Amino acid sequence: MKHRATWAWIAAFVGGAVLWLAVAGVSGKREAWDSSIYWTVAYPLGIGLAGGLGYWVPEKPWRWGLAVMLAQALVLIVSGSDFGLLPLGLIVFSILALPTVGVAVFMARFRLSSRKF
C-alpha cells in the first residue's frame, strides 16, 4: 500500500499543478482562477482527481484533496504573483480544498463499504 500512496502523492501534486498551469496557459490569465475555465473545467477535475485518489488509496483520504489544492497554491506562489494578496489566496485555497477533501473521504468510504459485500 505504501507504493500506491507514493504514486497517489505524485498524481495529486502533478495533477493539481497541471490543472492550474493549463488553465493559466490557455486563458492567458496570470492566475488560473481568474478564468471561467478554472471554475467550469479545472476545479471540477481537481475534485474528481481527489475522489479518484481517495478511492484508489482509501487510507487517510483527506490528504489527496489537500495535496491537489496545495500544488495549485505552490504554483501560484512560484509563478510570481503579487505577494500582497497571498494570505487571502491561501485562505481561498483552504476553502476550495473542502470539497476536494469531502469527495476524497466519501469515495474512500464508498470503497471500504463495498468490500464488506
Side-chain angles (χ1 to χ4, degrees):
M1 200 50 83
K2 189 173 184 178
H3 184 67
R4 272 185 158 185
T6 300
W7 282 109
W9 280 111
I10 293 168
F13 274 103
V14 170
V18 165
L19 287 171
W20 186 270
L21 291 170
V23 171
V26 168
S27 69
K29 305 281 186 181
R30 186 173 210 180
E31 298 176 359
W33 57 25
D34 290 339
S35 171
S36 62
I37 299 169
Y38 179 78
W39 300 105
T40 58
V41 178
Y43 184 59
L45 284 174
I47 294 171
L49 173 61
L53 293 172
Y55 185 86
W56 189 45
V57 185
E59 294 77 24
K60 301 178 194 169
W62 51 268
R63 58 188 168 168
W64 311 130
L66 289 180
V68 169
M69 298 312 295
L70 177 61
Q72 294 182 7
L74 292 174
V75 170
L76 175 66
I77 292 168
V78 171
S79 68
S81 289
D82 182 24
F83 291 118
L85 293 175
L86 181 61
L88 178 61
L90 294 177
I91 291 169
V92 171
F93 275 119
S94 299
I95 293 167
L96 291 176
L98 295 175
T100 62
V101 168
V103 169
V105 169
F106 174 80
M107 292 303 292
R109 288 184 181 167
F110 176 76
R111 177 176 179 182
L112 294 174
S113 69
S114 67
R115 285 184 184 174
K116 294 177 183 178
F117 299 107

